[in-house]
Amino acid sequence: MQAEGVRTADDAARLVQASALTHIKVGLSDIDGVMLGKYLRKEKFLSALESGLAFCDVVFGWDVDDQLYDNGRYTGWHTAYPDAQMRIDPASCRRLPLEKGPAGQDMLLFLADFTGPAAEVCPRQLLHRVLSRAEDMGFDAYAALEYEFFMFRETPQSARDKGYRDLQTWTPGNFGYSMLRSTVNGDFYRQLLDMCERMDMSIEGLHTETGPGVLEAAIAVDRAAQAADKGFLFKTFTKALAQQNGLMATFMAKWSHHHSGQSGHIHISLRDRGTGKSAFYDAGQPDGMSATQTAFVAGLQRYLPEFMALYAPTINSYSRLVPGFWAPLDATWGIENRTTALRVIRGSDKSQRVEVRIGAADANPYLALAAALACGLSGIEQRLQAAPPVTGNAYTQEFPEEMKLPTTLWEAAQRLKQSEVARASFGDAFVDHYAATREWEERMFRRHVTDWELARYFEII
């Protein structure tokens, strides 16, 4: 669970000093949303809690395979990969039930942020800057994240040994919302639910999705900063729990062309800081949509094509965005319409919200949420008017060219680089750095020959 009463550095120091732990875990988000970090000896941790710590900035200078970017400005051989300053966030403290210390105590885990120049490219800090903008506009942002993920009866070694072919899924066949599967495999379900309760990232709903071994978890709503932390922690420690059980979980956007992709949907609402009431709900308007929600949706729709690199950040992300696989292809919105990129969910003062359905499970939760909020807030500031909502099946309808979404990571990176709204919202340093990392990812892909190319061309062409 989130450690009791820990809000300030003094709270955290008292908790750590009273524990029998000799070392404390500190984690951070890299640009891809992968949790990195280290153990700090108790005395070192307490010192860092007070005065900060230094961390090599190579975590923003390499990709998910630890290969160094050759096109980055922020850091590289030209800067000699110096240390960057970090601060530990005391309020992020969690007990980690998957890892025991002396006397069986749960390990303590804290999240940390980069400060100084590194804060410009730090995903967690980026989201916090967007949230400060929302507060200045008079809003508190709330969010809830949903993730689909496939489970396998494999280990990291067995998957590598097989060349990621002929992998054995956790369960066979299609069986969405199965009570049978969740009962037969109830031990793992209980472990996952319990872990999430104890780590303050409660799962509101958990069920099987259509596909062999695929689950969907909906994390309970919270303030947007905390919701992003919960998504970040959920992805990391769901994988850890699976591996402790001799299984593997993947949040790839699409692991097989035979099956649907894996989404990372984002539910967002705004509340008025002055009244505490929903800024999205107006009982006197059609579908309960206030003028604020209408403008927010309009901003999301207008700028969605420019921000796709944040919702779909990998080469693999775009394998999911194909016709017929429950993934929107245009910047569309609708009322309770699951074929559109944006779905307005009618409700009450408590539940009126918008769901960003375009995101993939492989997105960095900090960056995807920051993108959605930045676009929506821009819509409010610019008093944008939403286009009419789409009714019926959006997959079979034609839309204007400006609503078309990028179809490759390279195209998405170019759209982001050219986006005035992205640069105004995130700053040039982040946009240039992030776009460069996506261009690098695309270049790494082009160096390789795929199985599809071999099967299609080897003999015949």
Side-chain angles (χ1 to χ4, degrees):
M1 64 182 64
Q2 190 168 18
E4 302 86 350
V6 175
R7 292 293 180 269
T8 68
D10 287 342
D11 295 335
R14 282 193 291 270
L15 178 69
V16 170
Q17 288 169 335
S19 78
L21 297 171
T22 61
H23 292 76
I24 309 298
K25 242 178 180 175
V26 177
L28 62 102
S29 171
D30 75 356
I31 206 73
D32 287 286
V34 177
M35 185 182 287
L36 307 176
K38 61 172 68 175
Y39 292 99
L40 292 180
R41 186 167 173 80
K42 182 185 291 188
E43 293 77 13
K44 174 68 173 177
F45 175 85
L46 293 171
S47 173
L49 194 60
E50 180 178 341
S51 56
L53 71 154
F55 205 103
C56 181
D57 76 358
V58 74
V59 296
F60 292 136
W62 63 22
D63 64 15
V64 293
D65 191 37
D66 290 1
Q67 301 302 304
L68 299 170
Y69 301 129
D70 64 9
N71 61 340
R73 296 181 185 176
Y74 167 70
T75 192
W77 290 119
H78 61 289
T79 65
Y81 299 107
D83 281 344
Q85 292 301 304
M86 298 189 71
R87 60 171 286 276
I88 295 170
D89 181 357
S92 69
C93 180
R94 259 89 172 170
R95 299 187 188 277
L96 182 54
L98 303 187
E99 187 175 343
K100 303 297 183 182
Q105 285 192 342
D106 289 344
M107 175 57 64
L108 287 174
L109 169 70
F110 290 79
L111 299 180
D113 293 313
F114 283 91
T115 59
E120 294 183 321
V121 297
C122 174
R124 195 168 186 259
Q125 280 293 296
L126 180 75
L127 173 61
H128 289 183
R129 291 197 296 274
V130 175
L131 292 174
S132 293
R133 174 185 171 191
E135 292 174 2
D136 290 342
M137 293 173 63
F139 303 115
D140 286 322
Y142 287 77
L145 305 182
E146 294 177 352
Y147 288 108
E148 295 172 345
F149 55 101
F150 274 84
M151 300 279 295
F152 297 87
R153 296 187 183 276
E154 302 287 351
T155 67
Q157 189 62 55
S158 71
R160 283 172 168 79
D161 290 345
K162 291 180 175 182
Y164 301 95
R165 298 181 182 88
D166 301 319
L167 301 179
Q168 183 182 359
T169 54
W170 189 33
T171 55
N174 297 329
F175 203 167
Y177 297 101
S178 171
M179 294 297 283
L180 176 62
R181 295 274 195 258
S182 62
T183 303
V184 171
N185 298 294
D187 184 57
F188 179 80
Y189 280 79
R190 285 191 297 274
Q191 289 182 55
L192 179 60
L193 293 168
D194 180 63
M195 178 191 74
C196 291
E197 287 291 324
R198 295 173 67 185
M199 291 187 68
D200 187 33
M201 50 183 186
S202 299
I203 294 179
E204 193 172 70
L206 177 66
H207 62 87
T208 63
E209 262 289 357
T210 298
V214 62
L215 301 179
E216 179 175 330
I219 306 171
V221 65
D222 203 341
R223 287 179 175 268
Q226 287 71 40
D229 282 345
K230 292 177 181 183
F232 179 57
L233 292 163
F234 176 79
K235 291 174 68 175
T236 298
F237 292 105
T238 294
K239 289 184 285 189
L241 177 66
Q243 291 187 35
Q244 286 187 351
N245 281 270
L247 303 168
M248 285 191 74
T250 182
F251 289 82
M252 279 184 68
K254 194 174 178 71
W255 76 274
S256 169
H257 64 274
H258 295 296
H259 306 294
S260 296
Q262 302 180 97
S263 64
H265 294 168
I266 306 171
H267 293 252
I268 299 175
S269 62
L270 298 179
R271 302 197 74 81
D272 186 281
R273 288 175 61 81
T275 66
K277 295 182 178 180
S278 171
F280 278 4
Y281 180 67
D282 185 339
Q285 295 300 316
D287 300 305
M289 290 183 69
S290 69
T292 298
Q293 186 180 27
T294 300
F296 190 93
V297 170
L300 278 169
Q301 181 181 36
R302 172 79 62 84
Y303 298 116
L304 184 56
E306 299 176 20
F307 283 72
M308 270 300 291
L310 297 148
Y311 298 117
T314 70
I315 292 293
N316 182 249
S317 302
Y318 297 85
S319 297
R320 170 179 168 263
L321 301 175
V322 294
F325 279 95
W326 287 88
L329 306 178
D330 303 279
T332 53
W333 78 279
I335 305 294
E336 297 289 1
N337 191 330
R338 284 186 167 87
T339 69
T340 55
L342 308 169
R343 170 185 169 228
V344 169
I345 299 173
R346 293 173 294 204
S348 61
D349 179 84
K350 182 179 178 181
S351 59
Q352 182 90 6
R353 61 195 187 275
V354 60
E355 178 188 19
V356 182
R357 295 180 55 79
I358 195 64
D362 59 0
N364 183 329
Y366 297 112
L367 299 185
L369 184 50
L373 286 167
C375 294
L377 293 174
S378 295
I380 295 172
E381 288 177 331
Q382 298 167 22
R383 295 183 171 87
L384 297 181
Q385 296 297 313
V390 173
T391 58
N393 187 354
Y395 299 142
T396 61
Q397 300 179 41
E398 290 295 324
F399 299 99
E401 187 64 29
E402 61 267 20
M403 292 173 61
K404 299 296 181 185
L405 299 176
T407 58
T408 67
L409 184 58
W410 181 267
E411 181 188 353
Q414 306 318 301
R415 294 293 297 272
L416 182 68
K417 285 170 65 174
Q418 297 161 12
S419 172
E420 294 180 2
V421 171
R423 291 185 179 278
S425 299
F426 297 158
D428 290 337
F430 175 82
V431 171
D432 289 338
H433 177 72
Y434 187 77
T437 68
R438 299 311 96 186
E439 290 172 345
W440 163 271
E441 195 77 5
E442 198 274 342
R443 283 197 290 120
M444 292 304 98
F445 175 72
R446 282 195 282 120
R447 291 183 180 183
H448 293 82
V449 177
T450 66
D451 291 347
W452 184 90
E453 292 170 277
L454 289 170
R456 192 170 187 86
Y457 304 128
F458 189 84
E459 176 190 359
I460 298 171
I461 202 70

